[in-house]
Amino acid sequence: MGRLKQCWSSLLVLAVVVIGTGAVPITYLQSAVAKGAVCLDGSAPAYHFDKGFGSGVNNWIVHMEGGGWCTDVASCNQRKGTMKGSSKFMNKDFGFSGILGGKQSTNPDFYNWNRIKVRYCDGSSFTGNVEAVNPASKLFFRGARVWRAVIDDLMARGMKNAQNAILSGCSAGALAAILHCDTFQAILPRTARVKCVSDAGYFIHGKDISGGSYIQSYYSKVVALHGSARSLPISCTSKMRPELCFFPQYVVPFMRTPLFVINAAFDSWQIKNILAPTAVDKRKEWKNCKLDLKKCSAAQLKTVQGFRDQMMRALSPVHTTPSRGLFLDSCHAHCQGGSAASWSGDKGPQVANTKIAKAVGNWFYGRSAFQKIDCPSPICNPTCPAISTEE
C-alpha cells in the first residue's frame, strides 16, 4: 500500500469535539452486534442523538462522521486501536454545532430537528460488507451493515414518521451520504421531503502531479479489502468498475434524490492527497506548498489552479441539474459545516454574499435555488478563513 495509508490520521482532526450547544451523550447500538453490524474490532456501532422539539419533532438530520479510510490489514489494525475503528475509544459526549447546532440563532432552519451524529468506525465510508472475519487480525469489514443498523434503529425511534429528512456528512462521511442517499430516501415515508448534503465529500477522480491518478489505486484497495462493490449504487457499478463508484462524479448523474454539495475548490485534503500525494512527490517539492498555498511557487500555483479546473469538470453533474445545490468557495479548507463560525458566523465563508447555512436552508425548503461558484483564485475571497478542517 502507498503512503496514503496514513492519510486517515490527518483527518482525525475532523472528529474533534466542537463547542456547541452542550454535550450529547453517546448511544451504543448493542443490538446490532448480533446482526454482524460492528466496527473494525467487532465492537458495537454508536451514535449521538439530540431529540427534536416543537415544529421539528418529525424532522430528522442524520450526519455521518468523517475520518479517511483504511486500505489493508495493517492500516485497519492501526485504526482498530482508535475511535476510528472501535467504539471502545470513542468520546462519550459530543458537542453539536454547525449543521447539527441546537441554537436558533446559529442554525435557524434545523436547530429543533432530531439531530444525529453517526460515529465512523469501519474505514470504508460505511460500505464494507465482508462476511468472513480475518482469523489473524480479527478485523470486521461491515460498514454497510453498520449504516443500515443505525438507520433501522432510528426508524424505530420515530424516523418512520419523518416529514423532513436530511442525510449528511463530512469528508468520508459526506461521501457516504452521497453513496447511501437514494437508499435513505427509499427507506423513509413517500410523503417525506428527503434530501442529502455533502460537506467536503466530493472527492474527484483527479490527476496527480505525476500525471497519474493515485487516488484511483487507493480507492480500488479500499473497495477490494472491504467488499464494497455490493454496497455501492448499482446504477453506477452496472456501468463501470466498482472503485470508480467511490468518486461522486460517476454516482451523482444517476441519483434520484436532491443533493447539495458544499466544497472548497481548493480542498485542503484533496490538494494534499489527490493532487500531490506523498507517494508521487518523490522529491518532496510539494511538502510545503500543499499545506500552505502561500508557499507555492508560480509553477505550483498554476498546477493548483489546474486542479480547480478538474474540480469544476467533475462537478458538472451537480451544477447542470436544477434540483441540486452547490456552494463552491475558493477557500483552502476541508469540511466547513461543522462549526457555528463557518456554518453561519459573521466571519464564515460566503459565496455570492451568502453563508452556507442560508444557502442550504433556502435550497432544502425550496425558498430559492442555490448553485454558486466562487471567484477563481485561492486568494480572491476575503471571507475565506485560515485552513479549516472541522467537524
Side-chain angles (χ1 to χ4, degrees), residues 48-367:
H48 302 257
F49 181 11
D50 203 3
K51 195 166 179 58
F53 58 93
S55 61
V57 72
N58 287 320
N59 298 335
W60 296 73
I61 180 164
V62 181
H63 184 85
M64 289 174 289
E65 185 177 36
W69 308 269
C70 58
T71 60
D72 58 15
V73 169
S75 59
C76 290
N77 257 332
Q78 186 177 7
R79 288 179 78 101
K80 192 171 72 170
T82 74
M83 63 182 176
K84 292 302 177 187
S86 172
S87 59
K88 297 175 184 176
F89 300 102
M90 292 175 182
N91 44 297
K92 301 298 187 289
D93 299 291
F94 210 108
F96 279 10
S97 190
I99 194 171
L100 290 177
K103 292 183 178 179
Q104 187 173 11
S105 59
T106 57
N107 192 23
D109 284 307
F110 311 119
Y111 75 97
N112 63 351
W113 286 31
N114 295 283
R115 288 159 290 114
I116 296 93
K117 176 89 165 186
V118 183
R119 302 305 297 268
Y120 180 41
C121 63
D122 64 272
S124 69
S125 283
F126 298 90
T127 63
N129 196 2
V130 176
E131 181 65 34
V133 179
N134 186 305
S137 65
K138 293 182 170 55
L139 286 167
F140 295 78
F141 302 115
R142 304 282 179 78
R145 296 192 198 184
V146 167
W147 184 82
R148 186 58 194 246
V150 169
I151 296 301
D152 287 347
D153 192 61
L154 295 175
M155 291 290 283
R157 295 187 68 172
M159 197 165 68
K160 64 183 178 183
N161 300 316
Q163 295 173 348
N164 294 288
I166 292 174
L167 184 67
S168 68
C170 159
S171 193
L175 174 59
I178 293 173
L179 298 176
H180 289 291
C181 183
D182 282 345
T183 301
F184 183 69
Q185 185 199 42
I187 292 170
L188 290 168
R190 294 183 63 181
T191 54
R193 178 195 283 123
V194 181
K195 300 185 180 183
C196 300
V197 176
S198 165
D199 180 10
Y202 209 93
F203 299 97
I204 70 168
H205 187 199
K207 289 186 177 180
D208 57 47
I209 55 174
S210 73
S213 181
Y214 187 77
I215 191 64
Q216 180 180 334
S217 64
Y218 182 78
Y219 277 165
S220 70
K221 293 173 185 175
V222 175
V223 170
L225 178 70
H226 292 267
S228 301
R230 70 187 73 177
S231 304
L232 295 170
I234 194 170
S235 57
C236 180
T237 57
S238 62
K239 299 176 177 62
M240 60 190 76
R241 296 191 304 278
E243 66 267 23
L244 294 179
C245 298
F246 241 60
F247 294 107
Q249 67 201 78
Y250 303 127
V251 174
V252 171
F254 309 108
M255 284 177 61
R256 302 181 303 276
T257 311
L259 171 71
F260 195 105
V261 171
I262 305 163
N263 229 94
F266 302 98
D267 184 291
S268 55
W269 192 93
Q270 296 198 49
I271 294 289
K272 183 179 178 183
N273 296 292
I274 295 182
L275 177 63
T278 301
V280 302
D281 184 23
K282 304 296 187 182
R283 299 180 182 178
K284 302 189 186 307
E285 294 173 342
W286 283 77
K287 182 179 178 181
N288 295 321
C289 167
K290 66 185 181 181
L291 297 178
D292 183 352
L293 300 185
K294 297 185 182 68
K295 297 180 179 179
C296 297
S297 67
Q300 287 173 325
L301 280 175
K302 185 175 181 181
T303 301
V304 168
Q305 200 69 46
F307 184 80
R308 179 187 182 274
D309 295 339
Q310 293 187 65
M311 177 74 75
M312 291 292 293
R313 290 191 292 271
L315 281 165
S316 177
V318 178
H319 61 72
T320 57
T321 304
S323 66
R324 296 175 182 146
L326 177 63
F327 185 103
L328 185 72
D329 61 39
S330 289
C331 305
H332 186 215
H334 186 73
C335 286
Q336 300 176 86
S339 76
S342 59
W343 176 246
S344 60
D346 292 339
K347 296 183 179 179
Q350 297 182 40
V351 175
N353 296 314
T354 306
K355 297 170 186 175
I356 300 172
K358 183 177 180 180
V360 174
N362 284 348
W363 166 82
F364 181 83
Y365 281 111
R367 294 189 293 254

